[in-house]
Amino acid sequence: MTITPYRSATTGKARATGLLRAEWTKLFSVPRWTAALAAAVLLTGLVSLLSALGSGDEQGATPSLNPFQDGGHYAYTTLGGNAELITQVTSSSGNGVKAGLMIRESDKPGAAFAAVLTDAASGVHLLSSVDGDLPGTAAKAPVWLKLSLSGGTVTAYSSADGTAWQRVGTTSYKPTTALGGPFVAAPDTTVVTRQFGSESITGEVGRGSAQFEHLSIGGTDPGSWTEREPMEGPAADPNGPSFTQTGPGAYSMTGLGNLGLDPFASDPVKEALGGVLIAAVTIAAIAVVAVTAEYRRGMIRTSFAVTPRRARTLLAKAAVLGGVAFAIGLLAALASYGGSGLRARGVPDITEWPVPRAIIGSGLLTALVAVYALGLGVLLKRAATAIAIALVTLTVPMIVTGGLPLSAATWLERLTPTAGFAIQQAVHRYDTAIAPWAGLAVLAGYAAIVFGLALWRQSRRDA
Amino acid sequence: MRAAHAEWTKLRTLSSTAWILATTVLGTIAVSAATVLATDTGHCAAACYEDTVKLSLGGVRAGQAVIVVLAVLTISGEYATGTIGPTLAATPRRLPVLAAKAAVIAATVAVAGLLAVAGSLLAGRLILPGNGFVPPSLTDPLTLRAGLGSVAYLVLIALLALGVALVLRDTAASVTTVYTLLFLAPALTAVVSDPRWHARLEKYAPMTAGLAVQNTLVVPKPLIGPWHGLGVLAAYSAVALVAGGVVFARRSRG
């Protein structure tokens, strides 16, 4: 009698879908876990809703994703329509001083504007209240600058000699009125002060001055310029803002305060998504017990008996948990953003970049948290230890940094898995520890290392 | 008394207990020392007004995370392994079992907490002068209040975790719930800019309110007094213990 050895008739593809289905079934056959996932999403929305309804916000403009400081000094004439402004910034003095040309809606603080400037620290930029900061070449004074307004578009150029122009960028300019002229601004110097057990960062108004030559609008110097009203303080301050003619088409200007993105403004998107932490914490716990429960009940031996290649089982588990976590994180982010939308001041429109990045990023963040926690669960086999490590490393800055110097707190936010939450940032602040994608990459690194170790350990030990 | 002795035996003979307690004490001291090491007078304005006691006790915030695991495991571990059966067979009345568990955990955490707090204050005393601070006197009444208050804080956290574990009976669910309760408020204060919500979270969340007992400065005026803050945490622990007790008394053993 011949015995035909058994050969599985299923294809590799069928095995993969079968594995995924098995993991999916195991995950959703525990009613408590499903309930916890649903509760996490609801709770996230509820926390945002409560803080939105309870906050004492004044009615007002929706918080901007490009919050500007509208300081500095400028002089202007009213532009009739399309116009071309040219000047040569011959020299500038002051810490990080910015000098250039600006077109703005009115002389009111916070009016819409577009400006081309040379920054003593970083070269040529196009700044606009619509598009924020667009960097150009690294040219510093002396440099020629040109700003041209034409049919609702402002284009900025820079040049070394005033004849060969290089385009810096273009931005839209919607207002129907336009004032144009030179400006000088200097960023606030930040001062770190430690007192009463915590650190605070404050800005001290910066001062800068610059020399302009060959200043012209449409080819000629209009001669009569109106100066911006002094923002604050006595107008007679001899060191205050000034604008004086030093020759034909040549002027000297001193300005106080910054024109540029405000590093002290709050981040409306990160605030609105604060509740996603609840979803991330819940996912982390479920990802841990999804595997530690198998160890405790001996289910893992069945799982490995069905699929002797253990790596495949764990990969399927990670795929299912990661996918579910992504969906839950995305839902939680939408619930959180929707709840916060009921604030009196509202939140930035959900389609406005980088809001979609923050929301989809919240999904990626929870998915990575799930894989990281799953890896810890496999490595440690014990729910209590794995959950404690996953949650403590995820919330570490929240529990240990109070009172720490900002520099130390910043490093914790860079180096621990918490860095992943950076993906929710929409505004670059003075205390921004790490860029959005870089932060997510740090968390991804932790997830990859821990899950990689888990795969390696699992293939070398008893189930 | 026999119930308490039994609980002590169960706690003592678990290999995890020694590990967890060692981690609590060493972890607390290590985080405290790191906090003090990272802080210097470099950025101080005219005067620092640094609360050196509070700074030296920074590690308590990390130590509490380990204490939660210990307290939860004394309950959920019994349900997971089935030891709860013999426990209730030996002492059929539920309340004495609960009282014995709470007393044994509270005493154990108090001893570990005392070691952790004393070690943290000593580490602070050694490190602070090197960073330009005047170290606090260890016998000052305010230092003693902050130190013993921190021990009480850890005990109340353990009782809170015990109550939650009695209700949920599951390790993962209990640890996650207690952590969320403790860490969510500080996490939200970091991103919420509204000052009224800041004040509310500081005053009524268990962790931020309870840790007010570490304040030894009166300027700027803390949002909640040291004993009031500890009282808020005690209320959370009491509610959790009563809820846990009621569930424990009503439910058949499963």
Side-chain angles (χ1 to χ4, degrees):
Chain A
M1 192 173 110
T2 54
I3 297 168
T4 323
Y6 172 75
R7 292 254 188 275
S8 168
T10 49
T11 64
K13 201 175 161 192
R15 269 205 303 276
T17 39
L19 259 180
L20 290 174
R21 268 195 53 192
E23 292 302 331
W24 174 273
T25 310
K26 278 190 271 184
L27 184 60
F28 283 97
S29 58
V30 184
R32 251 193 310 183
W33 298 351
T34 318
L37 288 175
V41 174
L42 282 177
L43 199 59
T44 305
L46 199 68
V47 164
S48 304
L49 196 68
L50 281 179
S51 73
L53 296 178
S55 74
D57 278 356
E58 298 290 317
Q59 293 278 353
T62 306
S64 168
L65 291 177
N66 281 320
F68 271 97
Q69 288 177 309
D70 189 11
H73 194 48
Y74 58 84
Y76 60 86
T77 58
T78 307
L79 306 176
N82 294 351
E84 194 171 72
L85 287 69
I86 295 181
T87 193
Q88 185 193 17
V89 179
T90 52
S91 69
S92 66
S93 65
N95 218 347
V97 62
K98 303 168 180 180
L101 299 162
M102 170 157 63
I103 291 176
R104 55 187 293 136
E105 180 181 10
S106 71
D107 60 354
K108 303 264 184 303
F113 75 91
V116 62
L117 61 93
T118 174
D119 184 318
S122 59
V124 178
H125 293 255
L126 167 62
L127 269 187
S128 121
S129 48
V130 182
D131 292 321
D133 189 350
L134 307 170
T137 64
K140 288 160 197 146
V143 62
W144 289 77
L145 299 170
K146 178 160 85 172
L147 201 56
S148 108
L149 168 64
S150 159
T153 308
V154 169
T155 312
Y157 304 87
S158 70
S159 162
D161 51 12
T163 48
W165 292 99
Q166 240 187 320
R167 216 175 73 113
V168 179
T170 304
T171 181
S172 68
Y173 183 79
K174 295 276 162 50
T176 49
T177 56
L179 312 175
F183 81 92
V184 170
D188 297 352
T189 39
T190 48
V191 184
V192 183
T193 318
R194 184 174 181 87
Q195 216 166 38
F196 303 119
S198 69
E199 276 186 9
S200 62
I201 290 195
T202 42
E204 262 178 23
V205 175
R207 163 195 307 278
S209 49
Q211 314 297 322
F212 296 87
E213 279 181 31
H214 310 287
L215 180 61
S216 70
I217 295 181
T220 55
D221 177 6
S224 68
W225 296 94
T226 314
E227 280 184 72
R228 158 186 231 180
E229 296 286 325
M231 295 276 283
E232 55 206 65
D237 180 0
N239 299 317
S242 68
F243 182 60
T244 46
Q245 186 156 19
T246 54
Y251 295 86
S252 166
M253 185 184 265
T254 301
L256 266 67
N258 187 32
L259 179 79
L261 291 170
D262 183 357
F264 299 100
S266 62
D267 187 334
V269 177
K270 195 173 167 65
E271 279 185 23
L273 293 175
V276 172
L277 180 67
I278 301 173
V281 162
T282 313
I283 284 287
I286 288 176
V288 167
V289 289
V291 66
T292 55
E294 285 210 34
Y295 284 112
R296 193 152 57 85
R297 309 242 180 248
M299 179 74 184
I300 197 82
R301 287 192 282 275
T302 314
S303 296
F304 285 155
V306 172
T307 317
R309 300 216 174 144
R310 297 177 175 187
R312 285 192 189 166
T313 307
L314 288 183
L315 282 170
K317 220 179 231 320
V320 168
L321 274 168
V324 170
F326 177 77
I328 294 292
L330 199 61
L331 282 175
L334 289 171
S336 191
Y337 208 72
S340 302
L342 297 177
R343 278 171 197 279
R345 293 185 64 191
V347 286
D349 192 84
I350 197 161
T351 56
E352 200 181 337
W353 192 259
V355 182
R357 180 184 71 196
I359 289 181
I360 296 170
S362 299
L364 295 173
L365 160 75
T366 29
L368 288 171
V369 165
V371 175
Y372 171 63
L374 175 68
L376 284 173
V378 174
L379 281 177
L380 300 166
K381 284 189 177 180
R382 293 197 55 168
T385 333
I387 288 183
I389 292 177
L391 298 193
V392 167
T393 50
L394 210 57
T395 56
V396 70
M398 300 145 200
I399 56 170
V400 298
T401 55
L404 265 192
L406 288 159
S407 52
T410 305
W411 278 107
L412 278 177
E413 280 177 55
R414 281 182 194 145
L415 296 179
T416 57
T418 313
F421 283 93
I423 196 70
Q424 298 182 333
Q425 294 161 4
V427 172
H428 190 88
R429 281 167 51 90
Y430 70 90
D431 61 354
T432 299
I434 191 166
W437 289 112
L440 200 66
V442 170
L443 175 61
Y446 275 99
I449 290 172
V450 169
F451 190 69
L453 277 176
L455 285 179
W456 178 75
R457 273 296 282 148
Q458 191 52 70
S459 61
R460 271 167 187 72
R461 71 176 180 203
D462 290 340
Chain B
M1 205 54 225
R2 277 183 48 210
H5 189 254
E7 291 304 329
W8 170 240
T9 309
K10 278 187 281 183
L11 188 66
R12 184 171 51 84
T13 50
L14 271 178
S15 66
S16 61
T17 304
W19 278 109
I20 291 176
L21 290 175
T23 312
T24 308
V25 175
L26 297 178
T28 304
I29 297 173
V31 174
S32 295
T35 312
V36 180
L37 271 175
T39 312
D40 58 30
T41 52
H43 289 303
C44 286
C48 262
Y49 304 109
E50 185 72 43
D51 192 337
T52 44
V53 177
K54 188 178 175 181
L55 190 69
S56 309
L57 292 172
V60 170
R61 288 172 290 185
Q64 65 178 345
V66 195
I67 291 292
V68 168
V69 174
L70 175 74
V72 164
L73 279 178
T74 54
I75 302 292
S76 64
E78 287 213 24
Y79 280 101
T81 54
T83 320
I84 191 72
T87 300
L88 292 180
T91 319
R93 290 178 55 214
R94 306 284 165 103
L95 217 55
V97 175
L98 174 57
K101 272 194 187 299
V104 166
I105 276 293
T108 311
V109 170
V111 172
L114 208 56
L115 288 174
V117 163
S120 296
L121 285 172
L122 277 175
R125 225 188 127 71
L126 290 175
I127 300 167
L128 279 166
N131 287 0
F133 293 104
V134 180
S137 153
L138 296 187
T139 52
D140 187 272
L142 287 176
T143 310
L144 288 175
R145 181 181 78 190
L148 294 177
S150 297
V151 177
Y153 174 86
L154 289 174
V155 170
L156 288 171
I157 292 288
L159 294 178
L160 172 66
L162 199 73
V164 170
L166 273 172
V167 175
L168 297 174
R169 291 184 293 172
D170 176 77
T171 311
S174 308
V175 171
T176 312
T177 306
V178 179
Y179 278 6
T180 308
L181 206 56
L182 293 179
F183 302 152
L184 189 65
L188 289 180
T189 39
V191 290
V192 169
S193 60
D194 186 78
R196 286 198 313 169
W197 270 92
H198 255 257
R200 278 179 204 160
L201 287 170
E202 287 272 344
K203 275 156 78 173
Y204 303 120
M207 172 178 159
T208 43
L211 284 175
V213 81
Q214 295 185 341
N215 289 334
T216 62
L217 293 181
V218 286
V219 185
K221 195 171 184 300
L223 287 165
I224 188 161
W227 299 119
H228 281 104
L230 212 55
V232 169
L233 174 61
Y236 276 94
S237 308
V239 168
L241 271 183
V242 168
V246 167
V247 172
F248 188 49
R250 295 257 166 106
R251 196 163 41 195
S252 64
R253 68 158 284 252

